[in-house]
Amino acid sequence: MDTDPLLAVSDLHAGYGETEVLHGVDLAVGKGEIVAVLGSNGVGKSTLNRTISGVLRAKRGSIRFAGHAIEQEKPPKIVMRGLIHVPEGRCVFPNLSVRDNLDLGSYRRARDHRQQNRDGVFGIFPRLAERQSQSAGSLSGGEQQMLAIGRGLMAEPILLILDEPSLGLSPLLVEELFALIQRINQQGIALLLVEQNVVQSLEVAHRAYILENGSVVLNGASDQLRSDPNLKRAYLGL
């Protein structure tokens, strides 16, 4: 039986120029897991995502995905392996239609399954099906977030990294988003959920890591972290 994690990050150091942002981060995501990386704004969460997905080159440490060392690989090759990053801020192409935005998600991977995967995305996000001919820029913020996630799903991810997906959404849409994250996971897709929303992330994640000043300060099963007094004091104000 294969017990190796799908994603294994070890002693990861990364940053910008001479400034180091991540200081020896270790984390793992198992096959089919939802793992949350939680922390306040500016603690290094997006830097972690960019480094894992190859946009930013690690200064030191290792990143293994599906049995391959990827810390020196470029983003297109990492995408081809099935590691898909949905960045913070949605980043849709506003002048292109919803349908065209989705199809761009399969540019590198799963191009032969484009129609099938688009139908699958419309099954998860019916509102995108209703608006598939509209320009992406005319969608609401919540719909643009659905589109960004749907575009990631078009590439048939083995692991989907979601960077701050609830940012800027209304409380009702946040509830809907986290329910959709669970639905995506039920299809067998592992997720690395990188969020400031501690409470709801811990409700859907199997395990979590708490990031502070570029280092992991707490980690464990979500139900254990929910009752950890250090987490309650630092992040929930309890």
Side-chain angles (χ1 to χ4, degrees):
M1 181 177 176
D2 184 5
T3 58
D4 290 339
L6 178 62
L7 175 72
V9 175
S10 179
D11 192 30
L12 186 64
H13 296 252
Y16 308 90
E18 297 299 315
T19 304
E20 185 173 280
V21 176
L22 301 178
H23 315 294
V25 170
D26 297 302
L27 66 82
V29 181
K31 297 176 179 66
E33 271 194 310
I34 302 176
V35 173
V37 175
L38 307 171
S40 306
N41 191 35
V43 300
K45 301 189 306 296
S46 291
T47 300
L48 175 65
N49 292 342
R50 294 186 188 114
T51 309
I52 292 172
S53 60
V55 175
L56 183 65
R57 184 60 55 86
K59 294 178 180 292
R60 194 163 85 243
S62 68
I63 308 169
R64 293 188 65 81
F65 175 69
H68 300 276
I70 64 169
E71 65 271 4
Q72 299 297 321
E73 290 186 348
K74 294 182 178 179
K77 188 167 183 180
I78 293 173
V79 167
M80 287 296 291
R81 293 195 185 281
L83 193 160
I84 309 299
H85 177 191
V86 179
E88 179 185 350
R90 297 152 199 163
C91 299
V92 299
F93 296 95
N95 297 323
L96 296 181
S97 70
V98 166
R99 184 189 180 101
D100 287 345
N101 267 270
L102 289 174
D103 287 351
L104 283 171
S106 58
Y107 177 76
R108 280 281 173 187
R109 178 177 162 87
R111 191 178 301 186
D112 293 343
H113 302 158
R114 181 172 287 169
Q115 176 67 55
Q116 173 187 335
N117 291 342
R118 192 191 309 123
D119 290 343
V121 169
F122 287 154
I124 297 172
F125 302 110
R127 268 179 279 179
L128 296 183
E130 296 167 3
R131 292 158 172 72
Q132 61 182 292
S133 298
Q134 284 184 222
S135 65
S138 70
L139 301 179
S140 69
E143 289 164 347
Q144 288 187 18
Q145 187 60 271
M146 293 176 192
L147 179 56
I149 295 172
R151 187 176 58 199
L153 293 174
M154 288 291 291
E156 297 181 358
I158 299 170
L159 172 65
L160 187 65
I161 299 177
L162 299 180
D163 191 348
E164 303 281 11
S166 73
L167 190 66
L169 301 185
S170 70
L172 186 62
L173 283 175
V174 169
E175 291 280 354
E176 184 178 345
L177 172 71
F178 279 95
L180 289 167
I181 286 171
Q182 288 180 299
R183 186 175 171 189
I184 291 167
N185 179 243
Q186 287 165 3
Q187 297 180 354
I189 298 170
L191 290 105
L192 185 62
L193 175 61
V194 181
E195 264 285 352
Q196 292 185 53
N197 190 325
V198 173
V199 174
Q200 287 181 288
S201 296
L202 289 177
E203 288 177 356
V204 302
H206 300 102
R207 295 185 302 106
Y209 296 83
I210 311 301
L211 203 62
E212 192 173 284
N213 297 323
S215 300
V216 173
V217 293
L218 284 172
N219 73 90
S222 294
D223 56 353
Q224 294 174 337
L225 288 178
R226 275 199 298 269
S227 59
D228 189 300
N230 293 316
L231 179 70
K232 287 184 175 182
R233 184 168 55 252
Y235 293 97
L236 305 183
L238 301 176

